[in-house]
Amino acid sequence: MASKSWLIFMLIIINWRESTHGNAFTVDPPEKIIIFDPGHLGHLNITWSLPASLMNMKECAKLYQLEYFNTYKDTWTAVRTTRRTFSAQFDLMKDIRVRVYTLLSGPCTNGIMIKSTNYTELVQKPPSMGVVNTAVQDFVCVYHNMKYMVCNWGKHAKMPANSQLNLYFWHRELEHAKECSKYIISSGIRSGCNFTGMSLPDFTDINLCLNGSSPKGPLKPKYISLQIQNHVKPESTETLHLQASPDAQLKLTWDLPVGRIPRHCLEWQVEHNKEGPGGKIALKLISTGQMSLNLPYVQDKDRNCFRVRSKLHKYCADKGFWSEWSRLACYPEKQKVLHEEEWDMITVSVSVAFAIIAILVLLLFLCVAMLPV
């Protein structure tokens, strides 16, 4: 028992000596940070220099902790790397904030990882460019049924007349940024871009920049970064099947929308419109992961109508758009009844027809009467 206690005591002493020795060793942060913009609409290259105090230190491994403020998520992101370069995505219309620490481990630190107390920081302000209050509004991109993407935007109220808008985009598969080749024109102004026929990668940042010119000077640019799988809008459901079962149940089923969206990625919303006695209507929205629904039904008392729409759920996309509603399916089906206005029109038409016939008959009699005997 005494020997075991002695061993534990010696381990504590050794660990204390190593930590004391390690803590006495300080590490300098990198000396210089440089941010380079290769023209990828916000995807910037960051480089930094090795501290001069570690220039000749070969026996220890050098590691760097880079922290940058993610302006799209409003949070700090931290990465560790052995390299002195890193690429990250930024909104070029906001402050770019980057800081780097040095970490050292190996024989020179008794195997303990030591991080520099201080860091080297760079804060880069956005350029003052563009006429104030001229950036476009309501910029929305929709990936229709995972086939093609369409982006639309609205004109700012203070945008000068005769302004010319330009949309550029870039992703990792492109060497340089490209301009939209199919603009959507509304009231003589570019109001959108149709990417039909253009292959865009999913699960990859696609950077977009919307800028332009005007007689008063350049327009305020707008930068967007998105991944297309988070902007999918499915096709509407074409066919609903609705029938009543003998056990007083209404069974609603529907077909999968046409397209290549996997069935397991879709969630559904069913709108149930029930018309009861006296014309009272109750509306209810039902969410489901299945492509069928069973509901109780009171025969000869209620008329039930349904329509369905779909959306990619959170396990396949961070967000997305609801499809358009399907056509209504009702039980029992309402027989076609002519509206009062339609009856009025028919009555008028019949009356006019009878009047014309009466006039023709009268004219015929007059003509016969005038003939010589």
Side-chain angles (χ1 to χ4, degrees), residues 140-146 229-237 254 257 261 263 265-271 285-290 307-314 317-326:
V140 179
C141 293
V142 180
Y143 191 27
H144 291 272
N145 208 29
M146 298 182 72
Q229 78 279 355
N230 294 326
H231 295 260
V232 173
K233 181 178 181 178
E235 284 287 339
S236 60
T237 301
W254 53 90
I261 301 176
R263 175 174 178 171
C265 278
L266 290 174
E267 61 177 303
W268 306 87
Q269 195 174 67
V270 180
E271 183 185 84
L285 290 177
I286 304 167
S287 297
T288 178
Q290 306 299 319
R307 60 179 185 170
V308 176
R309 64 179 181 177
S310 62
K311 178 184 177 183
L312 268 68
H313 61 58
K314 62 181 180 180
D318 291 343
K319 53 184 178 180
F321 299 93
W322 285 107
S323 71
E324 300 297 325
W325 287 105
S326 68

Side-chain angles (χ1 to χ4, degrees), residues 43-81:
H43 195 79
L44 306 179
N45 297 332
I46 308 165
T47 60
W48 54 92
S49 304
L50 179 72
S53 57
L54 302 180
M55 198 70 69
N56 298 319
M57 190 172 288
K58 307 295 184 184
E59 67 274 18
C60 269
K62 304 168 190 69
L63 192 66
Y64 304 95
Q65 179 169 310
L66 170 74
E67 297 176 358
Y68 65 94
F69 191 74
N70 189 323
T71 50
Y72 290 101
K73 297 181 179 179
D74 287 330
T75 58
W76 283 92
T77 299
V79 293
R80 287 190 174 184
T81 176

Side-chain angles (χ1 to χ4, degrees), residues 280-292:
K280 186 177 180 181
I281 296 176
L283 184 65
K284 185 179 180 182
L285 290 177
I286 304 167
S287 297
T288 178
Q290 306 299 319
M291 294 178 61
S292 63

Side-chain angles (χ1 to χ4, degrees), residues 81-283:
T81 176
T82 57
R83 304 175 65 184
R84 294 199 300 274
T85 181
F86 189 78
S87 297
Q89 182 66 34
F90 297 90
D91 185 345
L92 297 184
M93 298 311 296
K94 297 180 180 179
D95 288 357
I96 297 170
R97 301 169 63 187
V98 177
R99 56 196 186 200
V100 187
Y101 297 84
T102 306
L103 296 95
L104 202 64
S105 66
C108 62
T109 63
N110 287 334
I112 300 172
M113 178 73 73
I114 298 177
K115 179 181 175 183
S116 61
T117 305
N118 299 322
Y119 53 79
T120 300
E121 184 176 32
L122 175 62
V123 178
Q124 187 168 295
K125 296 288 184 181
S128 298
M129 54 188 298
V131 180
V132 179
N133 293 329
T134 58
V136 297
Q137 299 176 322
D138 305 323
F139 190 102
V140 179
C141 293
V142 180
Y143 191 27
H144 291 272
N145 208 29
M146 298 182 72
K147 289 181 179 179
Y148 62 94
M149 185 172 77
V150 175
C151 296
N152 295 98
W153 54 82
K155 174 185 174 183
H156 196 284
K158 295 185 179 180
M159 185 180 292
N162 301 320
S163 296
Q164 177 71 16
L165 292 164
N166 307 296
L167 178 71
Y168 299 91
F169 65 97
W170 176 87
H171 52 77
R172 290 183 182 273
E173 296 179 9
L174 297 177
E175 186 175 353
H176 304 291
K178 290 186 175 182
E179 185 178 0
C180 171
S181 58
K182 296 179 182 178
Y183 283 108
I184 299 169
I185 309 298
S186 177
S187 301
I189 298 176
R190 292 174 176 176
S191 61
C193 178
N194 191 329
F195 288 85
T196 300
M198 186 170 297
S199 177
L200 297 173
D202 51 6
F203 298 98
T204 299
D205 288 337
I206 298 174
N207 298 340
L208 303 123
C209 173
L210 189 57
N211 60 20
S213 59
S214 75
K216 294 184 178 181
L219 303 178
K220 201 82 172 174
K222 186 177 184 66
Y223 292 90
I224 302 96
S225 183
L226 57 84
Q227 294 190 2
I228 58 175
Q229 78 279 355
N230 294 326
H231 295 260
V232 173
K233 181 178 181 178
E235 284 287 339
S236 60
T237 301
E238 292 186 357
T239 308
L240 273 65
H241 309 276
L242 181 61
Q243 59 183 8
S245 61
D247 58 349
Q249 292 280 320
L250 274 180
K251 184 175 183 180
L252 174 70
T253 59
W254 53 90
D255 297 342
L256 195 69
V258 176
R260 62 188 186 94
I261 301 176
R263 175 174 178 171
H264 69 270
C265 278
L266 290 174
E267 61 177 303
W268 306 87
Q269 195 174 67
V270 180
E271 183 185 84
H272 179 197
N273 191 325
K274 182 161 67 173
E275 183 178 340
K280 186 177 180 181
I281 296 176
L283 184 65

